[in-house]
Amino acid sequence: MRGGRQAVLTGATGGIGAAIAAALAPRCATLVLVARDRGRLDSLAATLAQHGPALRVVVVAADLSTATGRAAVAGAARALPGGIDLLVNNAGIGDFAWFEAEAEADIERVIVTNLLAPVLLTRTLLPLMHRGAPRGGSSVINVGSILGDIGNPGNVAYSTSKYGLRGFSEALRRELHGSGVQVQYLAPRATRTPLNSAAQDALNAELGTGNDNPQVVAQALLDLVDGGRAEMHLGWPERFFVRLNRLLPSVVDRALGRRATVVRRHASMNEGER
Ligand SMILES: NC(=O)c1ccc[n+]([C@@H]2O[C@H](COP(=O)([O-])OP(=O)(O)OC[C@H]3O[C@@H](n4cnc5c(N)ncnc54)[C@H](OP(=O)(O)O)[C@@H]3O)[C@@H](O)[C@H]2O)c1
């Protein structure tokens, strides 16, 4: 990845976000870090200061699910001279729940945070990305999930949001073809971060689901920026199941449908935690 970039990273203080911030820091001239909790943003900015005065860190404490929050990010990005080269839409929330027991407000929060917020933030920041593009191309990277390719029991609202984000990435990539702004989609598999509740972790352990460290996702993001691929899915056998689900969805229906009882047992434990 070429150095000297100006990047906006949402969800910067989370497990994956902090790993991405650390990976981007040596390669960026400016990093705009976004999350709601200012204290955690300030701590992260302090740890990134070790990269020296060549890195300018701007923190924006903003709730991206609100128009005011997105406007605050846009204001900070507009204040940077020369536009932005990289937007990483990484902020997201999980909600491991049995769909019929999931509160309407929780479903709405998942879809607004994981889908509507990155869609609207991208639209607001695109003029600044076009300004950055002449420096060698700019990128929007949307952090989705393997569950954006494989609808999963217990994660119906979450899968819905990530399928939407993948569709958004594909459609916008095609619309911006040849513009100098590329749109890429990164789909991690389960990753060890606070996003996963104890019940989700227990389900993953019972099912033997692979779990990555956030640094694996951060490295994949650098590879995506360098390689220019449209999409990257992490993990094996997850990549195989993504292909199988496209070719023979009824096979995956049966395999995941058989697990629904186990999922429901763990999801009902989660109701106590929420
Ligand atoms: N962990 C996994 O197993 C996994 C697997 C596949 C994909 N992913 C995806 O990876 C991305 C990062 O997840 P993670 O595991 O790092 O989660 P995390 O540790 O829970 O971090 C989430 C980050 O998003 C921020 N955030 C949440 N809601 C926000 C809002 N309304 N406005 C602004 N910032 C908000 C949080 O900070 P504040 O709370 O301070 O706002 C935090 O910085 C997400 O898109 C997630 O869906 C995760």
Side-chain angles (χ1 to χ4, degrees), residues 73-206:
V73 179
R78 277 190 207 108
L80 303 177
I84 51 182
D85 316 81
L86 181 63
L87 165 62
V88 184
N89 284 312
N90 166 71
I93 55 173
D95 193 36
F96 176 46
W98 196 250
F99 183 60
E100 289 173 75
E102 197 172 13
E104 210 173 283
D106 290 334
I107 296 170
E108 188 173 333
R109 196 164 28 248
V110 168
I111 292 175
V112 169
T113 306
N114 295 358
L115 177 56
L116 193 60
V119 167
L120 294 179
L121 183 68
T122 302
R123 185 174 171 279
T124 304
L125 295 185
L126 266 178
L128 300 175
M129 309 227 44
H130 286 298
R131 278 174 60 197
R135 285 195 289 271
S138 58
S139 307
V140 178
I141 300 191
N142 293 319
V143 179
S145 165
I146 288 291
L147 302 192
D149 283 83
I150 302 176
N152 225 22
N155 278 291
V156 172
Y158 184 79
S159 276
T160 303
S161 69
K162 295 297 187 178
Y163 263 78
L165 190 64
R166 186 165 59 84
F168 166 64
S169 309
E170 182 179 282
L172 187 62
R173 172 167 58 250
R174 292 170 181 172
E175 187 165 309
L176 293 178
H177 179 77
S179 72
V181 180
Q182 58 176 347
V183 182
Q184 297 167 287
Y185 178 78
L186 176 62
R189 65 173 178 178
T191 309
R192 290 179 204 95
T193 76
L195 179 129
N196 295 311
S197 62
Q200 176 76 68
D201 284 337
L203 173 68
N204 289 348
E206 182 167 341

Side-chain angles (χ1 to χ4, degrees), residues 30-82:
T30 308
L31 258 182
V32 180
L33 307 174
V34 185
R36 288 167 298 185
D37 186 316
R38 171 164 297 276
R40 288 171 58 205
L41 281 168
D42 288 341
S43 308
L44 177 63
T47 66
L48 297 175
Q50 60 176 317
H51 292 281
L55 174 68
R56 177 177 177 211
V57 178
V58 177
V59 301
V60 183
D63 183 346
L64 292 167
S65 68
T66 67
T68 315
R70 293 188 295 273
V73 179
R78 277 190 207 108
L80 303 177

Side-chain angles (χ1 to χ4, degrees), residues 146 229 232-244:
I146 288 291
R229 276 169 57 181
M232 192 184 286
H233 296 80
L234 301 190
W236 183 265
E238 285 79 2
R239 276 199 296 276
F240 168 74
F241 279 110
V242 166
R243 296 236 166 99
L244 185 65

